[in-house]
C-alpha cells in the first residue's frame, strides 16, 4: 500500500485563533456546550480523520480576560465524545508533573475500554510556575528533572497497562473463574519518583496501551519523544525546518532501537479556507483585527517568560535572554525569538503572526492550495501527516473535512474509509503484547 | 409538602451479590460493556430515582479470582451515563488519600458541566495497605490522620469550586470581555497537607458544588460526615440501630451549625424481590449457593484485617482484636464482629450473610413487603431514604423500579416526576453562593 497521511484534529473551544470567540462565524455559547464537542467528533469521523485531540494545562490566570480555554477536562470530555462515535481516535493531554501514574493509567484505561480502543495520551511535563503553585511546588521545575520524572512516569504507566495480560479476564461462570491469577501481575516498581506495587485495578486496555503522543521539541524533548512517542505534534514554520526536524527525530528513534515508522510526525497547520486565495487572506485579516493587544501581550509574556505588558506595540521586541536560561517551553521560545528576529517584526506584527496558532504556521488559501501544501510537506519528507488546527469551530473543521479531505482522498493521499477499529490501528501501529506475557520459544 | 423518600441506586457490575456474575439472571459480558451501565442509568431515571452511585478503590488483589469489581473508572463511566440521561444524579467515589484536590475538583466540575448539574462526590479516605502501596506509602495510614487530611482536602476542593463566582463567565463578544477578573479568585491555601494557589481552571460547577456524600460510621467518620456530607450512605442491620445512628448524626450536624435537614441519611438495602416471600427466599438461596468459600474467606479476611484463609468453614470466628487496634474501616469491622457474635454464626454462615451486600442488610420479599419495610424505617426515623443495592443487574433494578417504586409513589412516599434539574435539587438542597461572592447588606 502506498504511504498515506495521518490527520489529527486539534480542537480548542470555538477555534484556535485567539479572537475566534468574537467572530460572527462562531457561537460563544458552544464553549460550555458538550454537544458542540460531540458534533465535532462526529464531523472528524465523517472525514475519516485518525483522531481528535485536546491540549490542557492545570492553571488559569485569575485575571483571565479573553480566552478560549477549556471549560471541560479532556478525559471526561473525550468520554462524552466517545459515546456518540465509533471509530475516531480520542487523544487527551495529561501531565507527568502533578498526577500519579496509577490514577492516570487507570483513567486512560477506562477511556480505552469505554471507546473500544480509541484512547491516546499526549504526554506533557508542565513547565509553568502557575501550575506548580496549584500542587504545592514553588517556582518552575527544572527542565531536565521534568523529563527524568516523565520517563519514569511513562515506564510505570505502561507497566500498569501490561499488569493484566491480554487474556487475563476469564469470566467463566461455570467454574467460577473470574480472572486468571497467573496472568495478573504486581509491577513492584521502586524508582526515583514513584513506588508502585500494582497491578492496575482494571483489565488491560483494548489497545494494550493507549497511543502515546508527545510535543517536545527541545533537546530533552526530542530525545523523550523519539524514545516513547508514537505520534509527535510539532510547530514547524517552513518545509525546510520541518524536514530537518523529521530527519532528526526519525534518526533518534532508530538510535533508541525503534523503526523510523514507529513514530509519526505531525506538524501543526492553521488553515483559513475560502473559494479564492484573496478571500482566505481577507478572512484571516478579519480574525487578526479582533485580537486584543492587551490579552496578547500577556500571552506573549507568558510564552517568553519576559514581562511585555507595558511594552510599546509598535516597537520591536526587547533583547531576549539566551535559551540556556529558559526552564519553560524551550522550543516555542526559540521559535518566537527567531520569528521576531528574522523578519524584524514589531510587537504588534508578532502578535498578529502568533494569533492564529501560538507559533504554529497559518496558511490561507483555497482548499486546493491547502491540499497542495500538505502534499508538498508530505512528499518532501517533512511530515507523516498533520495536526489540523481549525482557526474557528465548527466552520473551520467543516471546511477542512468537506473540501480538503476529498481532494486528498482523490489523490490517494488519505483513506476513504477506516481500515482499523482502534486508534493505534489508524496510525498503523500494532497491538503490543504485555511485557509479562511469556511467548513460546 | 409532605416529607418524601430519597432513593439512590448503588450500582456494582452485574450486581451486589458476590456470586451475581455466575447466576443465570445476569450476563457476565455486561461487566465490560459501557452500554449496560448506560441502560442502568436510563432505568434509574425512568424510576425517578435521585441518583446512581459507584463505589471505588485504588487497588486490586493480583490473585483476584471471583469479582464483580469495576472495569471502568467511576468519573469516566458516569460521564458516559450522563450523555444518555437528563435528570438522574451521578455520584462517583473518589479518595482524599492519594489524589490532589486541584485535579479532583476539576474532574468533578467537568462531570457537573457535562451533565448539567448532576455530579456528586462520595468522599472516602482509603484505609487499605494495598491502595497505599500503589502510591508509594508503606503500611496502613493512621485513622485520625486520614480524616484530618480528608477535612483539609474538602476545604480546598470547595474553595476551588467557589473560586469562580457564579456569574464570572461573561462571554461578551462585543466588548471582548471573556470573564470578569474581579469574580475569579486565587484561593491561596497553605495547610498541613496541601498548598494550592488557585483559581480552578474551569468556571463554577452548575450546582455551585457537587453533592457531597460520605459513608464513614466510626467516631471520626460520623463527625466528618456530620460536618461535610449532604447525604450519608450507611450499613444498618436493624431499625433500632438505624434510629440510633440517625439521631446521632443529625444531632452532630446541628452541633456543627447545620440544619438536621441538610444531611440525608440513606441506609443500604439489598432487596430480593419475587411474587411471593417464599420465592424471594428461594431466589436469595440460589445466589448464596453460588458463593465461592475460597473467595469469600479472602474478602472476609480483608474486611477484618485477620487472615482467615486457612480457617475451618464450619467453626465459629476466632477471637478478634478490640476495635481500638483497627486502623481500617472501623465501623464495618464492628458490624461484622457483632453480627458473628450475636448470632453465634459459623464462618460459612457469616459468609452467606455477608454475600449479598458485604455487611449491608438483605431483604427478601414481595414488592409490597419491600415497600412496607422501607416505609417503616422512614416513618420510624431511621432513614431519609435508601441506598438501593440490587443483588443482580439489570434485573434487580428493573424489579425495584417496576414494582416497588410505583407502590411508594401511590403511597405518596416518592416523587412521581422530577421537580428539580440538578442532583442537589433532587436531595432538596439549595445552590450555594460562592464564599467569594459579596452580597449587598
Amino acid at each position: 500500500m502506498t504511504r498515506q497521511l495521518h490527520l489529527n484534529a486539534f480542537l480548542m473551544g470555538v477555534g484556535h485563533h485567539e479572537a475566534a470567540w468574537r467572530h460572527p462565524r462562531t457561537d460563544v455559547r458552544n464553549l460550555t456546550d458538550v454537544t458542540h464537542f460531540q458534533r465535532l467528533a462526529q464531523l472528524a469521523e465523517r472525514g475519516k480523520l485518525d483522531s481528535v485531540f485536546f491540549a490542557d494545562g492545570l492553571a488559569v490566570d485569575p485575571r483571565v480576560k479573553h480566552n478560549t480555554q477549556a471549560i471541560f477536562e479532556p478525559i471526561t470530555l473525550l468520554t462524552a465524545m466517545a459515546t456518540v462515535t465509533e471509530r475516531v481516535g480520542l487523544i487527551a493531554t495529561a501531565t507527568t508533573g502533578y498526577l500519579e501514574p496509577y490514577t492516570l493509567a487507570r483513567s486512560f484505561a477506562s477511556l480505552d475500554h469505554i471507546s473500544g480502543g480509541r484512547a491516546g495520551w499526549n504526554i506533557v511535563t508542565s513547565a509553568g510556575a502557575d501550575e506548580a503553585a496549584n500542587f504545592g511546588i514553588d517556582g518552575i521545575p527544572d527542565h531536565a528533572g521534568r523529563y527524568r520524572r516523565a520517563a519514569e512516569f511513562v515506564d510505570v504507566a505502561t507497566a500498569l497497562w501490561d499488569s493484566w495480560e491480554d487474556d487475563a479476564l476469564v469470566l467463566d461462570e461455570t467454574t467460577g473463574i473470574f480472572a486468571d491469577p497467573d496472568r495478573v501481575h504486581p509491577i513492584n516498581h521502586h524508582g526515583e519518583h514513584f513506588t508502585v506495587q500494582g497491578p492496575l485495578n482494571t483489565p488491560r486496555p483494548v489497545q494494550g496501551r493507549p497511543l502515546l503522543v508527545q510535543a517536545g521539541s527541545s533537546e530533552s524533548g526530542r530525545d523523550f519523544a523519539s524514545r516513547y512517542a508514537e505520534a509527535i505534534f510539532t510547530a514547524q514554520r517552513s518545509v525546510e525546518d520541518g524536514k530537518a526536524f523529521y530527519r532528526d527525530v526519525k534518526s533518534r528513534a532508530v538510535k533508541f532501537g525503534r523503526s523510523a515508522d514507529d513514530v509519526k510526525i505531525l506538524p501543526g497547520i492553521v488553515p483559513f479556507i475560502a473559494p479564492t486565495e484573496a478571500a482566505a487572506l481577507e478572512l484571516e485579516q478579519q480574525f487578526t483585527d479582533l485580537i486584543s493587544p492587551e490579552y496578547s501581550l500577556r500571552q506573549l509574556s507568558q510564552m517568553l517568560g519576559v514581562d511585555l505588558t507595558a511594552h510599546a506595540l509598535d516597537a520591536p521586541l526587547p533583547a531576549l535572554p539566551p535559551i540556556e536560561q529558559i526552564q519553560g517551553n524551550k522550543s516555542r521560545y526559540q521559535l518566537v525569538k527567531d520569528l521576531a528576529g528574522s523578519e524584524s517584526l514589531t510587537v504588534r506584527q508578532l502578535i498578529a503572526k502568533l494569533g492564529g496558532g501560538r507559533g504554529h504556521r497559518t496558511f490561507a488559501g483555497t482548499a486546493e492550495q491547502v491540499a497542495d501544501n500538505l502534499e508538498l510537506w508530505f512528499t518532501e519528507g517533512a511530515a507523516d501527516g498533520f495536526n489540523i488546527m481549525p482557526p474557528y469551530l465548527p466552520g473551520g473543521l467543516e471546511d477542512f473535512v468537506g473540501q480538503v479531505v476529498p481532494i486528498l482522498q482523490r489523490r490517494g493521499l488519505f483513506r476513504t474509509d477506516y481500515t482499523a477499529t482502534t486508534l493505534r490501528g489508524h496510525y498503523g501501529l500494532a497491538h503490543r503484547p504485555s511485557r509479562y506475557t511469556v511467548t513460546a520459544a
Side-chain angles (χ1 to χ4, degrees), chain A:
Chain A
M1 206 182 86
T2 46
R3 183 172 162 250
Q4 287 193 319
L5 286 167
H6 297 283
L7 297 175
N8 172 70
F10 180 178
L11 304 176
M12 185 170 284
V14 292
H16 276 275
H17 195 283
E18 66 168 66
W21 69 282
R22 300 183 63 188
H23 194 278
R25 291 206 186 187
T26 64
D27 181 348
V28 73
R29 290 168 300 183
N30 279 335
L31 285 173
T32 57
D33 182 359
V34 69
T35 66
H36 163 67
F37 295 95
Q38 291 181 313
R39 287 189 299 269
L40 291 176
Q42 291 168 325
L43 179 57
E45 187 161 277
R46 270 204 300 285
K48 316 299 180 193
L49 267 51
D50 294 62
S51 46
V52 297
F53 157 63
F54 290 105
D56 198 41
L58 291 176
V60 69
D61 185 331
R63 288 161 301 175
V64 51
K65 279 205 170 174
H66 313 245
N67 206 318
T68 54
Q69 81 186 46
I71 307 295
F72 304 105
E73 178 278 330
I75 294 179
T76 42
L77 183 55
L78 288 165
T79 300
M81 293 159 75
T83 64
V84 297
T85 53
E86 291 179 359
R87 291 297 189 96
V88 71
L90 308 158
I91 302 173
T93 297
T95 181
T96 57
Y98 310 113
L99 307 176
E100 288 282 340
Y102 198 89
T103 38
L104 177 135
R106 190 186 181 214
S107 293
F108 276 97
S110 193
L111 176 60
D112 205 55
H113 285 300
I114 288 172
S115 64
R118 297 188 281 140
W121 172 26
N122 178 44
I123 305 162
V124 296
T125 63
S126 293
D130 274 8
E131 293 179 284
N134 288 329
F135 296 89
I137 293 161
D138 206 15
I140 301 179
D142 154 73
H143 191 87
R146 287 206 313 275
Y147 276 101
R148 275 205 313 280
R149 181 180 161 110
E152 187 183 343
F153 195 116
V154 173
D155 287 339
V156 175
T158 54
L160 287 168
W161 288 319
D162 285 349
S163 65
W164 288 60
E165 296 183 43
D166 283 319
D167 45 5
L169 193 68
V170 176
L171 298 181
D172 187 325
E173 296 104 316
T174 318
T175 59
I177 305 290
F178 185 82
D180 180 347
D182 295 333
R183 301 191 180 192
V184 182
H185 308 272
I187 69 165
N188 294 323
H189 175 88
H190 299 275
E192 180 189 350
H193 303 87
F194 306 108
T195 294
V196 181
Q197 178 179 272
L200 192 59
N201 59 349
T202 181
R204 197 148 197 254
V206 175
Q207 295 182 96
R209 61 169 70 172
L211 183 80
L212 300 184
V213 182
Q214 228 270 331
S217 297
S218 66
E219 273 299 309
S220 321
R222 288 181 191 210
D223 264 350
F224 182 89
S226 306
R227 189 165 163 195
Y228 294 104
E230 298 165 317
I232 296 182
F233 298 152
T234 180
Q236 301 296 332
R237 297 195 65 89
S238 72
V239 71
E240 290 72 29
D241 289 352
K243 283 164 70 172
F245 179 82
Y246 187 97
R247 278 194 307 267
D248 179 61
V249 169
K250 297 276 184 174
S251 69
R252 285 180 201 238
V254 170
K255 258 185 279 175
F256 283 114
R258 306 173 69 196
S259 143
D261 258 2
D262 287 350
V263 52
K264 312 294 183 194
I265 296 176
L266 287 76
I269 180 170
V270 182
F272 287 90
I273 304 163
T276 65
E277 185 177 347
L281 287 164
E282 153 64 18
L283 181 65
E284 182 176 3
Q285 188 60 47
Q286 284 176 16
F287 281 83
T288 302
D289 292 344
L290 288 170
I291 290 178
S292 149
E294 186 197 347
Y295 172 73
S296 298
L297 279 176
R298 295 178 61 81
Q299 287 281 94
L300 186 60
S301 302
Q302 277 193 352
M303 204 181 266
L304 297 174
V306 176
D307 185 2
L308 297 171
T309 52
H311 195 79
L313 283 168
D314 294 308
L317 273 184
L320 294 174
I323 193 160
E324 293 72 27
Q325 293 177 20
I326 301 301
Q327 290 298 332
N329 185 330
K330 281 178 186 271
S331 50
R332 196 58 56 91
Y333 175 86
Q334 191 64 48
L335 186 150
V336 173
K337 190 176 173 183
D338 289 350
L339 176 66
S342 66
E343 304 187 24
S344 305
L345 301 176
T346 65
V347 169
R348 189 188 301 276
Q349 289 167 329
L350 181 62
I351 284 171
K353 286 257 185 194
L354 294 172
R358 302 169 309 286
H360 287 271
R361 76 188 173 108
T362 58
F363 185 96
T366 65
E368 202 77 28
Q369 286 173 320
V370 173
D372 289 348
N373 184 272
L374 299 185
E375 181 168 2
L376 176 76
W377 280 57
F378 182 58
T379 54
E380 287 282 312
D384 294 310
F386 295 91
N387 197 18
I388 308 298
M389 302 166 61
Y392 56 99
L393 288 167
L397 186 59
E398 284 166 359
D399 289 349
F400 187 85
V401 162
Q403 298 173 40
V404 179
V405 166
I407 297 169
L408 297 172
Q409 288 170 330
R410 279 198 298 276
R411 296 182 188 175
L413 292 169
F414 192 60
R415 68 176 70 88
T416 53
D417 203 354
Y418 290 107
T419 54
T421 59
T422 66
L423 174 57
R424 297 183 68 82
H426 302 333
Y427 279 94
L429 298 161
H431 179 94
R432 295 167 64 136
S434 160
R435 71 192 65 185
Y436 299 105
T437 299
V438 180
T439 48

